[in-house]
């Protein structure tokens, strides 16, 4: 069976050269290629996980790609919790409450003439050692509203001139401050491993990651030579940055398989 090395570029953002890109380099077979004949080198949307849960490695990766493609400097990470007396009985009830909250935010944005709301919503059920369950939410949303306004809409009973609002619980909105890794760290925090279950939803207006493939850039022998370099060396970094001009290498990990050889997985960010 004929094999070759496939390069798959995954673009996260608008335009043909977005700020963030991931590259997968792995062995591919002629039978696999024949099964999707005619699709090589075409622009394709990255497939979303069939079930939007965050217990799966691919789902976590797709979540980070969505976050990188849509959110950055000046956007918000919002964390919402419940007081004991307002704690929902089920994750489904909590999700419905969070969706109602997001509708308030969307309405307020429209009222102030801001662009439509974009968001990623994670509903998580944590488990404490004592066996108690705490449902809470993490949301990435586009900026425009001030933090106090966003936090103040986490109410169960709206306040009036005569009475204060009854809040569901604690709310905190932080401005995103991307570093060299963008917002991957924040997105990773939102989907960090825990004993509980996590489910996520998104607004329909998000930019979807898209990909292109190339089956002729690398040979197996060339990848073997690359694998002989120290991954911490300057030579190793410069090699990859020479392959993807205009981008800085943020992270690269490699995996060896006796049957398929080396596979490389890169994260790159456009050089400013």
């Amino acid at each position: 069976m004929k094999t070759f090395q496939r390069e798959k570029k995954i673009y996260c953002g608008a335009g043909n050269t977005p700020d963030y890109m991931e590259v997968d380099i792995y062995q591919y077979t002629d039978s696999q290629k024949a099964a999707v004949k005619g699709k090589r080198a075409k622009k394709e949307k990255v497939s979303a996980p069939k079930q939007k849960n965050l217990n799966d490695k691919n789902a976590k990766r797709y979540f980070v790609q969505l976050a990188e493609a849509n959110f950055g400097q000046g956007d918000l990470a919002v964390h919402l919790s419940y007081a004991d007396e307002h704690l929902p009985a089920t994750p489904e009830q909590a999700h419905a409450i969070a969706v109602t909250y997001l509708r308030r935010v969307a309405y307020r944005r429209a009222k102030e003439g801001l662009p439509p709301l974009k968001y990623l919503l994670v509903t998580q059920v944590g488990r404490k050692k004592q066996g108690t369950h705490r449902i809470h939410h993490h949301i990435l949303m586009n900026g425009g509203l001030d933090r106090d306004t966003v936090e103040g809409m986490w109410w169960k009973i709206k306040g009036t001139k005569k009475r204060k609002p009854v809040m569901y619980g604690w709310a905190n909105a932080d401005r995103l401050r991307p570093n060299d890794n963008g917002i991957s760290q924040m997105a990773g925090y939102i989907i960090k491993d825990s004993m509980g279950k996590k489910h996520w939803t998104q607004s329909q207006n998000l930019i979807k990651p898209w990909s292109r493939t190339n089956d002729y850039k690398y040979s197996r022998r060339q990848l073997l030579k690359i694998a002989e370099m120290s991954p911490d060396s300057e030579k190793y970094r410069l090699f990859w940055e020479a392959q993807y001009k205009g981008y800085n290498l943020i992270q690269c990990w490699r995996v060896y398989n006796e049957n398929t050889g080396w596979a490389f997985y890169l994260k790159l960010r456009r050089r400013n």
Side-chain angles (χ1 to χ4, degrees):
M1 182 181 296
K2 182 182 177 182
T3 63
F4 48 88
Q5 310 309 308
R6 166 157 286 189
E7 174 204 54
K8 181 179 180 181
K9 294 180 180 179
I10 304 169
Y11 298 93
C12 303
N16 292 323
T17 55
D19 288 341
Y20 179 74
M21 176 174 67
E22 295 185 6
V23 181
D24 297 351
I25 303 166
Y26 52 92
Q27 181 172 282
Y28 211 64
T29 66
D30 52 359
S31 60
Q32 288 175 307
K33 185 176 181 179
V36 290
K37 188 176 181 180
K39 294 185 179 180
R40 185 186 64 81
K42 289 185 178 180
K43 181 177 178 179
E44 299 178 2
K45 289 183 180 179
V46 175
S47 299
K50 291 183 179 180
Q51 292 183 346
K52 291 180 178 177
N53 68 76
L54 291 172
N55 299 318
D56 177 74
K57 180 176 67 174
N58 291 329
K60 290 181 179 180
R61 185 182 186 190
Y62 184 74
F63 182 91
V64 173
Q65 290 171 349
L66 272 178
E68 285 283 359
N70 290 277
F71 304 103
Q73 186 72 37
D75 293 327
L76 294 173
V78 184
H79 312 286
L80 307 171
S81 65
Y82 295 90
D84 290 340
E85 60 270 25
H86 304 309
L87 189 64
T90 66
E92 291 73 22
Q93 290 180 7
H95 176 76
I97 292 170
V99 169
T100 299
Y101 164 77
L102 288 169
R103 287 175 183 155
R104 290 178 199 148
V105 176
Y107 176 80
R108 183 61 177 264
R109 292 182 66 87
K111 189 175 180 180
E112 296 194 12
L114 294 170
L117 174 67
K118 300 196 326 182
Y119 69 83
L120 280 168
L121 163 64
V122 176
T123 297
Q124 179 175 355
V125 183
R127 296 179 183 174
K128 294 185 177 181
K129 293 181 179 179
Q130 298 87 347
T132 57
H133 294 64
R134 303 298 304 186
I135 300 175
H136 54 280
H137 309 281
H138 302 290
I139 304 171
L140 293 175
M141 66 172 66
N142 49 339
L145 295 175
D146 65 81
R147 294 167 54 191
D148 289 342
T149 298
V150 172
E151 292 170 355
M153 284 186 278
W154 184 233
W155 47 260
K156 182 175 183 178
I157 301 175
K158 190 175 183 180
T160 66
K161 292 182 179 180
K162 295 184 178 180
R163 69 164 188 263
K164 293 182 178 180
V166 177
M167 307 299 288
Y168 277 110
W170 175 76
N172 184 59
D174 294 323
R175 295 285 178 193
L176 292 177
R177 296 180 177 84
N179 54 24
D180 290 341
N181 293 318
I183 66 165
S184 295
Q185 186 174 1
M186 172 55 70
Y189 165 75
I190 289 174
I191 60 172
K192 69 183 185 300
D193 291 333
S194 74
M195 294 179 63
K197 296 180 179 179
K198 299 181 285 293
H199 297 271
W200 61 280
T201 55
Q202 66 191 66
S203 58
Q204 296 302 307
N205 56 350
L206 296 186
I207 298 171
K208 306 298 191 298
W210 53 276
S211 67
R212 277 201 173 104
T213 60
N214 182 359
D215 298 333
Y216 306 102
K217 185 167 185 173
Y218 299 102
S219 67
R220 185 166 181 170
R221 180 177 296 180
Q222 185 180 18
L223 295 183
L224 181 60
K225 289 184 177 181
I226 299 169
E228 292 175 350
M229 300 180 190
S230 170
D232 298 325
S233 67
E234 185 78 358
K235 183 179 179 181
Y236 189 77
R237 179 183 65 82
L238 291 175
F239 171 83
W240 290 119
E241 291 181 356
Q243 307 308 307
Y244 306 101
K245 296 186 183 299
Y247 284 87
N248 288 329
L249 179 67
I250 301 301
Q251 186 179 8
C252 175
W253 65 98
R254 53 194 187 179
V255 179
Y256 181 76
N257 182 284
E258 291 184 359
N259 297 318
T260 60
W262 286 99
F264 295 83
Y265 303 93
L266 289 71
K267 293 185 177 182
L268 304 112
R269 188 165 302 283
R270 176 157 293 283
R271 187 174 299 122
N272 293 324

